[in-house]
Amino acid sequence: MTTSTSTSSTTSTTSTSTSTTALHLLIPSQLWGGAGAGAGAGPSSSSSSFFDTTKKNQQKALSTTTSSTSSSFHRDHDSRTLLSMIPSQAIHARAANNNKKNKTNKNSNDQNKQTTAAASTLTTATTTTESNEKERVKQQQQQQQQQNQVTTPSRRSRRRLRPQKKNRPPEASSNSQDDKTIFTGHFPDPWWRAISMNHVRQHPRFQPLDNVNHHHDHNHRLLRSLADVQHYYPQGSWQWNELHVGRCTTSQAAGALGFLNDHAAQVLGVPVAWRQRGGRGSYQRLSQRPVLRTLSELNHRLVTSDYAQQQQQRQQQQQQEEEEDDGDSDQEIWGEAVWNNTITNSNKHNDSNNSSSLLFLAEYLYQPNQDEYRRRKRYIKGCSGGEYLDRGIRMIWGNTQEATSLMTALNYFAANVDDGVVLEECGMCGADLEFNSTPTSRGHGGLLLGATPDGILRYSNGSMEALEVKNHCPFFSNSNRRRHGGKLKRFSIGDRLSTDGGVLPQYVSQLQLEMLCLGDACRSAVMVRQTATQGATIWRMRRDEAWIGEMIHFLTRFQTEFVQRQVPPPADFFWNNVVNNGTTTTTRKPEDDDDDEALREQSRYRRFVHKTAQLCSSVELVAVVPPEQIQRCTGQAPFFLDRVS
């Protein structure tokens, strides 16, 4: 018990001492009335100075008062009263200060938030405005660049142009690793899947010229009539070339009629490339001599003369040289043709499973071998010097693909018009025309007419149509196109089919002149416009006697006013109505004085030009032939020979 009491007393004393010490720490000595005040003394009259103490002393006093001193305050009433008063007022003061501070901070935060929101809104608006302005400027620049490319492209933009691949051929779907090798190359193949004319002559529905496969026989054979030149001499022979000397043929008619001069060409819509020819080429051709008009002149020049003998020897020598050079000529490129002639009219209509029999009269079985591709490449390499191939590839393509287009016409008309139709080969027509053979032709200034259709469609009822074919070359030169970092290959592929072009105005005189030279039995002409990969279109033009009469009138004027007088025709010679002396032109309008003969001629010619434009628009679209209905060499073949070794 003694131990316990002593321990309790010690604990109480320690607690009292600790409380007193804590209270002295909390309240400064001046608040107790002096330094020697006892424990039970109360607060002095200057106790209000306690509330003027700094915030630092208040926080320190509050932190010193802990839960361990609570028992001492309960033992002393004054201490309890002072302790209960001081923390309450201090806490209220601190709370007031905190509330004021919080309110100030809140107001400051609200102002900061408002300022930040306003700044953010302003920044967003500014950014949006700048973005819209940049986008508007970018669109204006793009529009300006597009306008520059359409109107006047710069030199850099022209060099960046790429060849357009309008319609890719069926071979574009192949799984070749290097697709560009199909559509670009240095050595184009103008014989691409073509049928040779020598092979067409062996077709069961094709009638070749007399003795066309025996050149030596008809070279020494005398002509019995003027019409024999049409049956003896095929296109491309030296005799056929001689017949063009001094004769107005289809290749010169458009120029002699003034259709290739600026004003008439603009009215007709003649392509710009054709307008550069004008009438000078026709003048030079018609000025050549000698002109073969009579039968005796023809036999002498083409058969019995020393000139004829020299030409025949030269032809034989050329053939021998080509054979020694491993057949690098155009004719020797081809092998022997193989036609399956077992297809008849009956099984053509009954056998629906045989697509070949439904579309073609006979099956073409020929396939070129590797040696033939090598000969083709050697031929093209020989033509590749300078710019000749760039300009001449279209002419080469037109010549090599002509027989293929002839088969397109024959197969179509046999399947859809007349089962018994026959395609005939012909040479120079019109030599036996009354206009050419009678003395009245002397009154026309010596004008001599002639035409060579690509073929004649002879129907089973005896009627016929002139056949003309035009092949659109798929190769175009890249000589004027350059790329940064290198060059394009020499040629690219671009193929398309037009169904609104019809017969171009520069070909109107060709078709009408062919119908004239074939005689009165020919009432229409057919033109096939064929592409490499997009099929073909077939057009028909009817014979127009009034137009033919006007054509002869102006061709006669060209012969008498320019060729006979040896005066080259000026520009727009008929449109501006150059008078007979060939030196003076009139600038008066035709409607000013209808009684003037010169003005009447001028008005007559302009009506003739507009009539030609109407004739172009009146042609009939016979058919659009899809690519799969065009008979070609079997199998797939590359457009370019670059990989041939």
Side-chain angles (χ1 to χ4, degrees), residues 546-619:
W547 193 93
I548 291 176
E550 291 297 281
M551 176 185 68
I552 293 177
H553 170 76
F554 287 105
L555 289 179
T556 301
R557 281 192 57 190
F558 187 84
Q559 179 75 19
T560 56
E561 296 177 8
F562 301 112
V563 177
Q564 280 191 342
R565 298 178 183 273
Q566 297 183 357
V567 177
D572 296 317
F573 46 89
F574 284 151
W575 189 270
N576 293 329
N577 193 29
V578 177
V579 296
N580 291 337
N581 58 17
T583 59
T584 306
T585 60
T586 179
T587 57
R588 290 181 298 171
K589 297 182 179 180
E591 57 268 20
D592 292 342
D593 187 2
D594 290 339
D595 295 333
D596 191 326
E597 180 66 23
L599 293 177
R600 284 201 300 270
E601 279 294 313
Q602 186 181 24
S603 178
R604 180 179 181 178
Y605 176 74
R606 295 186 180 185
R607 290 195 302 269
F608 174 61
V609 172
H610 288 284
K611 175 63 176 177
T612 304
Q614 295 175 4
L615 204 59
C616 287
S617 60
S618 65
V619 296

Side-chain angles (χ1 to χ4, degrees), residues 332-363:
E332 295 297 330
I333 282 178
W334 306 92
E336 295 294 331
V338 179
W339 291 96
N340 183 2
N341 302 333
T342 59
I343 300 175
T344 61
N345 291 337
S346 59
N347 63 31
K348 181 183 70 173
H349 293 285
N350 296 332
D351 187 6
S352 60
N353 295 326
N354 191 345
S355 60
S356 177
S357 62
L358 285 173
L359 301 176
F360 310 137
L361 291 170
E363 186 178 5

